[in-house]
Amino acid sequence: MYFLLLTGLAGCDLTEIFPGKGTDVYESPYGSIEFDFAMPDHLTIPLRGIHRIDLSISSTADSLYRKEYLTCANVSDYQQKYSFSLLPGRYFYQAGITCTFGGDTCLYGGFPGGQNSTWWAMGWVDVEKGKSFTKNIVFQ
Amino acid sequence: MKTGKTSPCIPRSLFCWFLILGLQACENEIPVNGRGQAVPVVYCLLNPQSNIQYVRISRSYTGDSATWSRPPVHDSMMWDVPCSIYIEEMVGNQAGPFVWFYPDTVPEKDSGFFPVTAHAVYRAEFRPKVNTRYQLYVYFPDLDRMVSGRTWVHQPPEIIDPASIQGRTISFDTIQPYKTRWLPGNYSGLYQVLFRLHYSDSTARNYRFLTADFSSDLIFDTRYGVTLEHAMNGSRFYEAIARQVPEKSGTIREVISLEFILFAGGTDLALLYNTSTRAGTSFYGLNDFSNLTNGVGIFSSLTRSSVTNLQLSNLTLDRLAHGSMTGHLGFRDSKGN
């Protein structure tokens, strides 16, 4: 019995474990941005006919124009805040809402193209490593 | 010295004699391989969106979950015993109008490696009302047996997301999942979310319209009055497409649109699913759930709601065309290349 135990223990490959200094914490290279995609509050028509349709991000302003996006959100009328994790740098965004009321209600409400036209808001944000901040989207 | 008692030997021998005679008369053969009694299996999922309803009848000798590991042979599931089927609409606790089911041969039977051609299918022409209780009766006159069950027909859910709004697109991102949302109707409890990609497949000789599906597992949730959500992992979308669309050289594929389908099942169907997935975890044999008396199976309701003409985002189209999982399938990107 003792002989078997000794034989078994001798077979163990003991490896020394170095505990380290306790400072090896993973640092994410990303920063975070949250867009507060609120509907405009100065509209004169009910919000049930206004819908979010787009929130896209590009690395340059002209790539935004060419629809070459880095990422985009699946926007919903039931969600107001959208988050992205991005590498540090400057990013350009566009947010769009549309109006689906019939007749000339959309024109009256401030949508220059009338029904199914899009009202855009654009801008840029700076993302910093390890930091998180909120950007309010404003429709002028 | 003799006493006045009679000798006990005479009644004892008489008793033994009767015992032998009695034991010889006993039937001591026990039939080990006895003939089992068939159990009717009844499936009926009412569809309040259709004017035609079906009931499927088969039989089983197994009502025990332990035997699922060795399913019965095909012959044992056939049943050509005549039966009468009718359904009653319940008005409060009283039986209301009723409808008869008649044998039907229109629906295609299962095909494949083990085709099942002998299931009896019955049909009736009526449209069930939502939020209404129905009682099903299946009577086997030869067996003098009546299978019956009750269920509430659920209200189809109202889909919130995705919504078909001009300009809004759907993006299947590998990082952020796509969140579907719906308002459940009363008496619902089981859901399945499905995205169907409609695409064209063109070669120099022909042009075809095809589809590929990206579906979720079954979702058990009996709540109503609140918005339900289910997140679909974007990377699994590309896996599903790569699995279903075959690689063909010289073929050009173009995405036409995306369709969202939400299947919803009634509470009884949800309980059947939930107990079968939890079999063995709590109480043994819970997967034998059935809301039918005198038989097994299920009597519940099933609906299909959809949103058509959805559009994929440019990012998703480009990833479909050039991504590592689907880049070899020949899909055009957002610029038509």
Side-chain angles (χ1 to χ4, degrees):
Chain A
M1 170 77 180
Y2 289 114
F3 178 73
L4 284 175
L5 189 65
L6 284 170
T7 313
L9 285 174
C12 287
D13 185 13
L14 298 174
T15 309
E16 192 174 357
I17 299 167
F18 298 98
K21 296 174 185 174
T23 56
D24 299 333
V25 178
Y26 173 72
E27 285 188 22
S28 170
Y30 296 95
S32 174
I33 175 135
E34 183 182 72
F35 287 96
D36 189 350
F37 194 164
M39 291 293 191
D41 54 1
H42 53 277
L43 291 176
T44 53
I45 53 175
L47 284 178
R48 61 187 160 81
I50 314 296
H51 309 279
R52 298 182 183 91
I53 56 165
D54 188 33
L55 176 56
S56 300
I57 292 175
S58 291
S59 54
T60 60
D62 59 318
S63 58
L64 199 65
Y65 177 74
R66 290 197 303 269
K67 297 184 178 180
E68 293 171 352
Y69 308 124
L70 287 173
T71 185
C72 59
N74 283 305
V75 291
S76 165
D77 295 333
Y78 291 79
Q79 185 178 341
Q80 187 171 326
K81 295 187 175 177
Y82 301 88
S83 297
F84 297 91
S85 288
L86 299 164
L87 288 168
R90 176 161 289 187
Y91 294 94
F92 294 80
Y93 70 87
Q94 67 176 21
I97 54 173
T98 192
C99 173
T100 55
F101 283 118
D104 57 358
T105 308
C106 297
L107 277 172
Y108 174 72
F111 284 80
Q115 188 185 22
N116 292 328
S117 64
T118 307
W119 186 354
W120 295 104
M122 296 180 188
W124 53 266
V125 289
D126 286 325
V127 176
E128 294 178 38
K129 181 181 173 184
K131 291 189 178 175
S132 176
F133 65 98
T134 302
K135 177 74 181 175
N136 295 322
I137 295 172
V138 180
F139 290 88
Q140 302 287 348
Chain B
M1 189 175 86
K2 289 201 174 185
T3 62
K5 281 186 172 176
T6 55
S7 170
C9 295
I10 297 167
R12 189 177 296 164
S13 62
L14 202 63
F15 174 74
C16 292
W17 179 245
F18 278 118
L19 187 68
I20 290 165
L21 277 178
L23 285 173
Q24 276 187 337
C26 282
E27 178 71 43
N28 56 3
E29 285 183 12
I30 301 166
V32 176
N33 296 315
R35 187 181 170 86
Q37 192 180 7
V39 179
V41 183
V42 177
Y43 284 103
C44 179
L45 295 175
L46 296 174
N47 183 356
Q49 298 162 321
S50 171
N51 290 325
I52 298 171
Q53 311 300 321
Y54 294 101
V55 174
R56 197 189 77 177
I57 309 287
S58 59
R59 71 176 174 179
S60 172
Y61 290 98
T62 57
D64 183 4
S65 59
T67 53
W68 280 105
S69 56
R70 46 182 175 82
V73 293
H74 172 226
D75 287 353
S76 72
M77 295 166 71
M78 299 180 187
W79 209 0
D80 52 1
V81 178
C83 61
S84 305
I85 306 174
Y86 66 99
I87 195 167
E88 277 177 351
E89 180 188 323
M90 305 296 289
V91 183
N93 283 325
Q94 303 295 317
F98 67 93
V99 181
W100 286 97
F101 283 76
Y102 297 98
D104 184 54
T105 53
V106 174
E108 283 186 26
K109 302 294 189 297
D110 291 348
S111 61
F113 202 65
F114 297 107
V116 178
T117 55
H119 285 312
V121 177
Y122 290 73
R123 72 181 245 162
E125 290 191 18
F126 76 103
R127 184 183 284 253
K129 297 174 188 168
V130 296
N131 295 330
T132 305
R133 195 163 54 154
Y134 285 86
Q135 174 119 15
L136 179 72
Y137 296 95
V138 183
Y139 178 56
F140 299 93
D142 293 355
L143 307 172
D144 198 20
R145 183 169 192 161
M146 174 79 89
V147 180
S148 65
R150 280 184 184 184
T151 197
W152 285 90
V153 174
H154 73 275
Q155 191 178 3
E158 184 187 333
I159 298 170
I160 295 173
D161 281 322
S164 182
I165 297 171
Q166 191 175 327
R168 188 185 285 182
T169 58
I170 289 177
S171 184
F172 289 113
D173 192 0
T174 51
I175 299 169
Q176 295 192 27
Y178 183 83
K179 208 173 267 185
T180 59
R181 296 180 179 89
W182 65 91
L183 280 172
N186 293 344
Y187 308 110
S188 307
L190 191 67
Y191 305 93
Q192 187 177 29
V193 168
L194 188 146
F195 283 98
R196 178 162 291 164
L197 183 76
H198 294 265
Y199 67 95
S200 65
D201 192 314
S202 61
T203 60
R205 291 184 179 176
N206 60 11
Y207 189 87
R208 293 186 302 165
F209 292 104
L210 298 166
T211 59
D213 291 346
F214 168 45
S215 64
S216 71
D217 294 332
L218 291 175
I219 306 154
F220 174 80
D221 200 328
T222 53
R223 291 176 297 168
Y224 58 91
V226 293
T227 304
L228 300 183
E229 295 181 347
H230 183 73
M232 297 288 279
N233 186 332
S235 58
R236 290 184 64 189
F237 168 76
Y238 301 101
E239 286 173 18
I241 300 299
R243 200 168 47 243
Q244 292 172 58
V245 180
E247 185 179 358
K248 285 183 196 169
S249 61
T251 303
I252 297 169
R253 292 181 167 120
E254 198 161 359
V255 173
I256 297 167
S257 69
L258 191 70
E259 182 182 4
F260 175 74
I261 301 168
L262 178 62
F263 293 101
T267 313
D268 290 306
L269 190 63
L271 289 174
L272 174 74
Y273 166 75
N274 196 38
T275 48
S276 63
T277 53
R278 291 186 178 190
T281 57
S282 51
F283 299 103
Y284 179 75
L286 266 181
N287 63 343
D288 296 336
F289 172 85
S290 175
N291 63 340
L292 298 167
T293 54
N294 247 343
V296 295
I298 189 69
F299 176 43
S300 188
S301 51
L302 184 70
T303 58
R304 177 189 189 276
S305 311
S306 68
V307 180
T308 56
N309 216 15
L310 299 166
Q311 298 300 318
L312 284 174
S313 70
N314 286 354
L315 275 173
T316 305
L317 288 173
D318 293 344
R319 195 165 284 155
L320 203 59
H322 307 297
S324 58
M325 274 188 272
T326 52
H328 59 287
L329 299 177
F331 279 100
R332 287 189 191 274
D333 64 13
S334 61
K335 293 186 173 65
N337 298 321

